Amino acid sequence: MNPVFPMGMMFLALVARADARQVENLGRGVVAIHQGGGKVYVGWRLLGTDPNDVAFNVYRTTGGGQAVKLNDQPIFQSTNYVDTGVDLSKSNGYFVRPLEDGKEREASAPFTLPADAPAQPYIAIPLQTPDGYTPHAASVGDLDGDREYEIVLHQAGRGRDNASSGTTDPPILEAYDPGSGFLWRINLGRNIREGAHYTQFMVYDLDGDGRAEVACKTADGTVDGKGKVIGDADADYRNSRGYILDGPEFLTIFDGQTGGELVTTDYIPPRGRVADWGDDYGNRVDRFLACIAYLDGQRPSLV
Ligand SMILES: [Ca+2]
Ligand SMILES: [Ca+2]
Ligand SMILES: [Ca+2]
């Protein structure tokens, strides 16, 4: 038997499988950071679709002038470059071009450092944190389909651990675009308790249309990013100890671009009898974890 034939078949099978898998369609994600002393760090994204031997050229335009290639040799095995001697009194735009088989391919979207950009090791995004709230966990996804990530941020007010009694503030989710700032706010309402174990929100493009959705547990009184109330706006299921052990539990998929409700269904698993979870006061019944998994190998599932 010719041993080459089965190996070739296996290779084809792997390629076909990789192609069939629904994946994010992301851009290069170029960022530039002023490091001080005329130095600018430039970083970008290696894509799952890039060939193994991909290389890059890095370009800068200063003050809107001609693009200048910065690197003498193609950059292999790295997606980092430090530009020196930069005139930071002017705006500086950076972009990269991948090289495949020695040929330059499509230029990335540029990232522009404005004139007199401060030397700081981060990109500042102004938040609209509600009074009494603090930025908490965050997750990224391409909410608007421009092939770059936006950020979904859990804004946490007064919270309680599941083991502790007491009323809490409603959990809030907000979305921010690194370029244009605040996008929307979802208020999960008084029937979702605030605390580290309650709201495991997932941000992912579940239906493969190029825009990420946001999914989490909701309840009567949740207000979506368009101001629409889910369920009964007047319901209040908080007991005298501040726990929520009654009332319907929902799972809502929100549109990532607007925060608007797309679909709401019953939460699985149902609460059932609280004591069946191992205690009778609501410690274990409300502890959640979540993830996105490719259970069938091709499409993402919400777990
Ligand atoms: Ca985006
Ligand atoms: Ca965007
Ligand atoms: Ca989607």
Side-chain angles (χ1 to χ4, degrees), residues 42-265:
V42 186
W44 59 95
R45 186 180 283 136
L46 183 71
L47 300 171
T49 50
D50 285 330
N52 287 339
D53 59 351
V54 68
F56 297 95
N57 287 332
V58 184
Y59 291 83
R60 178 198 340 114
T61 50
T62 299
Q66 283 281 348
V68 179
K69 183 159 78 78
L70 301 175
N71 50 299
D72 295 329
Q73 298 295 323
I75 299 168
F76 283 97
Q77 299 191 333
S78 176
T79 55
N80 308 284
Y81 184 84
V82 177
D83 190 15
T84 54
V86 184
D87 179 0
L88 285 145
S89 71
K90 298 183 175 138
S91 76
N92 287 282
Y94 289 89
F95 64 91
V96 302
R97 283 179 179 274
L99 286 150
E100 293 176 24
D101 301 326
K103 288 203 183 69
E104 279 198 326
R105 306 289 180 187
E106 183 193 2
S108 72
F111 181 96
T112 301
L113 261 184
D116 302 314
Q120 58 188 24
Y122 55 86
I123 297 164
I125 304 169
L127 301 181
Q128 296 186 18
T129 305
D131 284 348
Y133 280 71
T134 310
H136 205 266
S139 186
V140 297
D142 180 7
L143 302 179
D144 58 10
D146 69 354
R147 300 177 68 207
E148 295 301 340
Y149 282 141
E150 284 74 41
I151 300 166
V152 178
L153 177 65
H154 177 184
Q155 296 275 23
R158 181 182 53 179
R160 299 282 185 185
D161 187 85
N162 306 52
S164 304
S165 62
T167 54
T168 75
D169 290 321
I172 286 174
L173 299 176
E174 292 180 340
Y176 291 90
D177 187 309
S180 59
F182 180 87
L183 293 174
W184 49 253
R185 176 178 296 137
I186 294 167
N187 186 321
L188 293 176
R190 62 188 166 200
N191 295 312
I192 297 287
R193 211 160 179 250
E194 174 60 66
H197 304 293
Y198 292 95
T199 297
Q200 315 305 336
F201 63 100
M202 291 288 107
V203 181
Y204 206 79
D205 181 10
L206 296 166
D207 62 358
D209 72 347
R211 297 189 297 113
E213 287 74 47
V214 179
C216 67
K217 194 177 115 168
T218 56
D220 278 338
T222 294
V223 182
D224 79 3
K226 291 174 156 178
K228 184 182 141 200
V229 179
I230 294 170
D232 178 359
D234 298 324
D236 186 351
Y237 297 109
R238 295 172 295 180
N239 68 19
S240 59
R241 303 184 68 217
Y243 285 101
I244 298 144
L245 304 177
D246 210 354
E249 299 174 288
F250 308 133
L251 176 77
T252 299
I253 311 279
F254 297 96
D255 183 302
Q257 195 159 25
T258 64
E261 175 198 22
L262 288 175
V263 65
T264 294
T265 186

